[in-house]
Amino acid sequence: MLHLDITPFKSGVHQVELAPDASELEFDLEPFDDIHDISDVAVDITIQAHRDRLLLHLSIEADADLTCDRTLERFTETVHGQYSVLYGPEQLVGTETDDYDEVRPLQRGDREIDITDVVRDTIMISIPQRKVAPGAEDRDITTAFGEPDDPDDVEEPVDPRWSELQKLKSDDE
């Protein structure tokens, strides 16, 4: 779990940089067959502290070990994500503005906040839907497999009932 100690933050703007281990974020990658690992997580947080609330602007970067959708090769891609969350009094929960994406409760006696799921979810939604390895778009993908027996061979219908349709096709040409 990733906890942020909020006791040193007095009113004003503060910067915090974290480099949590991926195991602290409790990733569950089992349902994903194209995401193998998350590593090198870096979290840059700008905190706007007020008397009874904290506005966190998170900028997150991580390396994701992925499988290319085009070539099925494994590759590593750096993903970036941003998220803003307000920790404040219970009556603010459920309110919406353009300043933040979510409101979470902050009790008067809280000394730390759990940002595990905010960081984990921001990383997961930053992983692209279509995962393409660098250079994979430039490579040709084989769409026909095996070699033809004889390139001059004209395809014969497998089923003799199709021969009448073959005649219609020949008449149109």
Side-chain angles (χ1 to χ4, degrees):
M1 298 191 76
L2 184 59
H3 293 276
L4 180 64
D5 181 11
I6 60 174
T7 55
F9 304 126
K10 305 298 178 215
S11 289
V13 178
H14 308 276
Q15 281 293 126
V16 175
E17 291 181 9
L18 303 173
D21 188 66
S23 63
E24 291 178 71
L25 300 174
E26 302 169 352
F27 285 103
D28 180 17
L29 301 178
E30 193 172 315
F32 306 100
D33 57 355
D34 54 354
I35 304 172
H36 305 287
D37 190 28
I38 304 293
S39 61
D40 297 330
V41 178
V43 183
D44 184 24
I45 307 172
T46 301
I47 302 169
Q48 294 178 2
H50 300 284
R51 186 184 67 227
D52 61 346
R53 63 195 74 182
L54 297 169
L55 178 58
L56 278 63
H57 296 286
L58 294 98
S59 181
I60 300 168
E61 184 176 289
D63 288 341
D65 186 22
L66 309 170
T67 299
C68 178
D69 291 340
R70 187 168 166 84
T71 63
L72 298 179
E73 295 174 353
R74 284 177 71 157
F75 71 102
T76 300
E77 181 173 333
T78 301
V79 294
H80 308 273
Q82 296 183 345
Y83 197 76
S84 296
V85 59
L86 176 69
Y87 287 87
E90 293 274 343
Q91 62 265 24
L92 290 177
V93 176
T95 61
E96 295 180 22
T97 73
D98 293 335
D99 296 332
Y100 45 83
D101 301 308
E102 179 183 3
V103 180
R104 293 187 175 207
L106 179 67
Q107 305 301 321
R108 190 171 275 285
D110 288 349
R111 302 184 61 70
E112 63 183 16
I113 53 177
D114 182 9
I115 59 172
T116 306
D117 55 341
V118 174
V119 173
R120 179 186 56 239
D121 294 348
T122 302
I123 291 171
M124 292 304 290
I125 62 173
S126 298
I127 294 174
Q129 186 71 26
R130 184 167 184 255
K131 300 156 195 69
V132 181
E137 291 286 353
D138 302 330
R139 295 168 66 188
D140 289 331
I141 303 263
T142 305
T143 57
F145 298 96
E147 293 184 28
D149 295 333
D150 185 351
D152 299 328
D153 230 2
V154 178
E155 275 190 44
E156 294 294 324
V158 175
D159 189 333
R161 294 174 287 182
W162 292 104
S163 60
E164 291 301 314
L165 289 174
Q166 186 67 29
K167 287 179 191 174
L168 289 174
K169 180 180 172 188
S170 299
D171 290 345
D172 291 342
E173 295 177 340

